Amino acid sequence: MKRAGLPLVGPLLAALLLAAPLAADPSLERMEALPPDLPDWLAPLLDPGGYKVVRDEGQPIEFWFPPALPMQDPSAELGVEYPTLPPGGLVGLMRTTDDWSTYKKQIVPAGIYTLRYAVQPADGDHTGQTWFRDFLILIPVALDTFDPYGFPEQEPLVEASITIIEGATHPMTMALFQNYDGAESATMFWNDLDQPTLAVPLGDVTLGLVVEGEGEEVPL
């Protein structure tokens, strides 16, 4: 991870700052089993071999994915980095054992959530808020009663997601960021905004899930 340079300080203070331990980069561990008590429809769709992102601060975040992602003919929409993923399609499962902050600074409580692919509406309300229009919607696993093989409309997904936080009006989301260097296997990398991101090759697509970070305005 890129580290900012030290400001001009006295020699003793500079030495103390340099000696202080820096936060460790997140690491990646493999897991061999799905969470218990998943809905009957969900477990058969996921690979039991999951991934645990171990962070220096905060509890680990765990992910499971299908062996391959649902696909569609490439979309022609502008600003979309994953044009072959159908909006509404199930792309994975996420488990947290502690609070987790979304890209919109919303605090998601510990729990198990399905991850469904979505695209920001081209309605002007989201212009300049993120680099890409692609993102994942978090849905409490007990509320994801949508067709596992279908591609539900975005509105009911949003309605299910906002129940995570009482009074919320914006869905709980995870940002996606491409790994332009490619990845032969799952790995952690730092995206162009210096945010820790999990790259996972799934068939012909490599997902890049931003596990920590906040949205920044795109230079217009």
Side-chain angles (χ1 to χ4, degrees):
M1 182 174 182
K2 301 173 184 175
R3 307 290 182 185
L6 290 173
L8 294 176
V9 294
L12 178 58
L13 180 56
L16 291 173
L17 289 172
L18 288 171
L22 294 173
D25 291 351
S27 61
L28 191 62
E29 299 177 2
R30 286 304 308 264
M31 298 182 297
E32 298 181 354
L34 292 167
D37 302 323
L38 290 180
D40 291 341
W41 67 267
L42 181 57
L45 301 180
L46 300 173
D47 185 342
Y51 302 93
K52 178 187 292 186
V53 178
V54 181
R55 302 178 292 163
D56 183 60
E57 297 181 3
Q59 296 296 316
I61 306 174
E62 300 168 339
F63 297 94
W64 291 264
F65 301 96
L69 296 175
M71 303 291 281
Q72 68 174 9
D73 292 334
S75 166
E77 288 200 66
L78 297 177
V80 173
E81 290 290 292
Y82 295 92
T84 58
L85 294 185
L90 178 72
V91 302
L93 185 74
M94 169 181 168
R95 178 170 67 181
T96 65
T97 57
D98 198 358
D99 291 347
W100 176 75
S101 179
T102 75
Y103 215 61
K104 300 289 288 185
K105 305 179 186 179
Q106 295 166 295
I107 303 302
V108 173
I112 302 178
Y113 304 95
T114 56
L115 302 172
R116 287 187 177 264
Y117 176 73
V119 175
Q120 289 178 350
D123 55 9
D125 290 342
H126 298 83
T127 301
Q129 293 186 8
T130 59
W131 283 65
F132 308 118
R133 293 175 60 197
D134 318 63
F135 65 98
L136 300 178
I137 293 182
L138 280 65
I139 300 176
V141 68
L143 296 184
D144 193 331
T145 57
F146 306 103
D147 183 353
Y149 301 101
F151 313 121
E153 296 294 326
Q154 191 156 303
E155 183 175 352
L157 300 180
V158 169
E159 291 176 354
S161 182
I162 62 177
T163 64
I164 296 174
I165 300 178
E166 184 176 358
T169 58
H170 191 281
M172 309 305 118
T173 62
M174 173 171 281
L176 292 174
F177 208 111
Q178 278 275 22
N179 181 349
Y180 296 108
D181 294 331
E184 295 183 358
S185 60
T187 186
M188 294 296 300
F189 74 99
W190 299 96
N191 66 31
D192 291 345
L193 298 178
D194 205 19
Q195 298 162 336
T197 304
L198 170 62
V200 184
L202 298 167
D204 295 330
V205 175
T206 297
L207 285 181
L209 296 86
V210 180
V211 297
E212 289 183 3
E214 298 171 355
E216 298 186 14
E217 287 193 354
V218 179
L220 299 178

